[in-house]
């Protein structure tokens, strides 16, 4: 019997290459393509942020009406194109008053927009209204993070009669951000006040969008197996651990994949020279390229350690800041690309002025991210928690050995160097302490200098690993079919 072709609505607040602040965008730009490859009909919906150039997009002729409860009905424009190198349609909800701003979630000073609840409830409702307009009846509605977490509940209430057979999946990319807002938004959601209770939307007398989504989704997924367990503990549950435990029967961990069209040293157009595990000579060219770019001493023989990521406590930047001087006393070059918390931007900028073997770029730069992945010998990711983490997986592809803390997806993907058996693909520590971080980096640097062959073999092993989206897509498909009872 042939497999049933499913209609899937996939909604996310950011999607590569249109808008990105972190890994969610990478996932939303790649996973739908892999699901389509399995033979399903999938459409993606995201906001049309101000910076998305609409000149090459198709504009739908009809405006889209979006009911916003007590606020009345709002009318949005809709643009359309396809995901990069694919035929997966992506629709952009164009509503100037909500999305015509420079930031995705916050202003230039890092303050979250005060109307974020309405903005993303609007996106969620707009995605369902769009389905009605397109006569696209979803079997599965796949939501991501708090921004679109109202979808499972909307399907069971306000949209029950429109999409009676649709099932929902909510993927948690980061439990820290839950979408807590003034409870009055219940009247904007139009889900009914009976859902404002401690088992659904309510949390400290506020609406918690993620909590409501977890309660009502037919399946909840997280982006690694380890994180699926961690979020049920007090240490990683961000106050929702009991809620997670109550729903543990429907929580699954599926590791993210890599879009190798974007992240492969063989074909990457953003790096100085391509290379692969058979011929790594191009990697040295990439190393010189970042040394030149950042004004570091041009040395082939020095250990270069890279970091790319948001300056957020999650990423362990405070620990890095606390040990940076001791690290820089070693014979290493450290290159950091990131933006976020102001204290970190200021702190690292000052170090960059005083230490010749330290380089920094404050800001967001896709091309520099690729160059650092390619040209570094090691990649630092000492996260306090990490639902999946993509950079360490990209690093493996570029033969840049990750130095990570054993948490979430970092623990699932990185295996410690085992000198005796000559195994492993990186360096891993367990305690979130400065000492553990410092001594692990020191160990990695020692291996780099004194066990050259072992280091190179480990790089090759890392480059031969494969984290395809095809496997992940099959796991999502299993869940879709399971909740549909097929
Ligand atoms: P998170 O989603 O928690 O930020 P991930 O490791 O899953 O962490 O994904 C981060 C993604 O964002 C990667 O693709 C990384 O290259 C990218 N990224 C993060 N900070 C920057 C930056 N300053 N410039 C360019 N890319 C960045
Ligand atoms: C989140 C997590 C990160 C994960 C990404 C994509 O931003 O912090 O660990 O890789 O989402 O799922």
């Amino acid at each position: 019997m042939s497999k049933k072709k499913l209609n899937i609505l996939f909604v996310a607040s950011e999607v590569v290459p249109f808008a990105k602040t972190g890994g969610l965008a990478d996932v939303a730009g790649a996973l739908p393509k892999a699901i389509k490859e399995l033979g399903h009909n999938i459409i993606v919906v995201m906001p049309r942020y101000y910076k998305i150039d609409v000149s090459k997009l198709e504009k739908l002729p009809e405006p889209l009406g979006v009911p916003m409860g007590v606020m009345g009905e709002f009318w949005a424009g809709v643009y359309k194109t396809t995901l990069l190198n694919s035929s997966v349609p992506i629709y952009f909800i164009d509503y100037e008053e909500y999305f015509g701003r420079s930031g995705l979630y916050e202003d230039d000073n890092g303050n979250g927009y005060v109307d974020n609840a309405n903005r993303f409830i609007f996106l969620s409702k707009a995605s369902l209204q769009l389905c009605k307009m397109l006569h696209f009846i979803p079997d599965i509605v796949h939501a991501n993070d708090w921004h679109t977490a109202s979808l499972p509940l909307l399907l069971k209430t306000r949209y029950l009669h429109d999409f009676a057979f649709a099932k929902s999946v909510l993927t948690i990319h980061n439990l820290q951000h839950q979408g807590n807002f003034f409870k009055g938004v219940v009247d904007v959601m139009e889900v009914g006040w009976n859902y404002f209770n401690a088992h659904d939307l309510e949390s400290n007398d506020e609406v918690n969008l993620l909590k409501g989504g977890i309660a009502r989704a037919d399946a909840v997924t997280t982006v690694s197996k380890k994180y699926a367990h961690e979020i049920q503990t007090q240490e990683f549950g961000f106050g929702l651990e009991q809620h997670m435990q109550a729903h543990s029967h429907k929580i699954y961990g599926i590791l993210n994949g890599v879009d190798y069209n974007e992240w492969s040293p063989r074909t990457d157009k953003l790096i100085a020279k391509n290379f692969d595990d058979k011929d790594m000579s191009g990697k040295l060219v990439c190393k010189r390229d970042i040394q030149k770019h950042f004004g570091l001493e041009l040395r082939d023989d020095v250990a270069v350690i890279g970091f790319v990521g948001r300056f957020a406590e999650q990423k362990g930047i405070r620990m890095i800041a606390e040990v940076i001087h001791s690290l820089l006393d070693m014979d290493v070059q450290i290159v950091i690309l990131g933006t976020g918390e102001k204290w970190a931007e200021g702190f690292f900028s000052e170090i960059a002025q005083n230490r010749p073997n330290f380089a920094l770029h404050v800001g967001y730069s896709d091309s520099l991210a690729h160059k650092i992945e390619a040209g570094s010998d090691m990649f630092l990711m000492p996260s306090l928690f990490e639902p999946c983490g993509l950079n360490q997986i990209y690093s493996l592809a570029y033969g840049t050995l990750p130095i990570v803390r054993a948490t979430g997806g970092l623990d699932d993907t990185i295996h410690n160097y085992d000198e005796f058996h000559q195994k492993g693909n990186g360096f891993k520590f367990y305690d979130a302490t400065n000492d553990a971080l410092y001594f692990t980096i020191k160990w990695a640097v020692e291996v780099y200098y004194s066990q050259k062959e072992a280091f190179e073999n480990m790089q090759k092993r890392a480059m031969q690993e494969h984290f395809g989206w095809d496997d992940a897509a099959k796991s999502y498909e299993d869940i879709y079919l399971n909740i549909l009872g097929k």
Side-chain angles (χ1 to χ4, degrees), residues 15-137:
V15 182
V16 155
F18 308 103
K20 167 170 169 176
T21 67
L24 168 60
D26 296 76
V27 174
L31 173 60
K33 294 197 262 187
I35 291 172
K36 170 106 188 174
E37 291 284 305
L38 296 176
H40 302 296
N41 275 330
I42 182 162
I43 65 170
V44 180
V45 178
M46 71 172 289
R48 184 256 152 157
Y49 298 108
Y50 180 66
K51 65 171 189 175
I52 297 175
D53 175 13
V54 293
S55 64
K56 292 201 182 68
L57 309 180
E58 176 193 337
K59 183 161 194 191
L60 300 199
E62 300 270 313
L64 183 70
V66 183
M68 289 290 277
V70 285
M71 296 169 73
E73 185 173 42
F74 296 176
W75 291 88
V78 182
Y79 288 89
K80 181 185 177 190
T81 185
T82 49
L83 289 184
L84 218 53
N85 306 317
S86 86
S87 58
V88 175
I90 173 162
Y91 295 89
F92 301 86
I93 306 301
D94 186 29
Y95 189 66
E96 173 77 27
E97 214 173 301
Y98 279 162
F99 302 124
R101 309 175 187 181
S102 60
L104 271 56
Y105 316 117
E106 53 189 38
D107 63 22
D108 296 342
N109 297 320
N111 300 314
Y113 293 126
V114 289
D115 54 355
N116 268 345
N118 291 345
R119 294 172 77 223
F120 290 103
I121 290 167
F122 176 78
L123 170 69
S124 306
K125 283 186 161 181
S127 70
L128 296 177
Q129 292 293 125
L130 180 67
C131 286
K132 289 210 276 182
M133 187 163 106
L134 299 173
H135 305 292
F136 180 87
I137 310 294

Side-chain angles (χ1 to χ4, degrees), residues 224-243:
S224 70
K225 288 210 177 342
K226 179 91 190 253
Y227 193 62
H229 291 291
E230 286 175 338
I231 53 178
Q232 301 183 42
T233 66
Q234 198 188 353
E235 189 183 352
F236 298 98
F238 286 100
L240 284 190
E241 55 274 12
Q242 285 175 5
H243 192 62

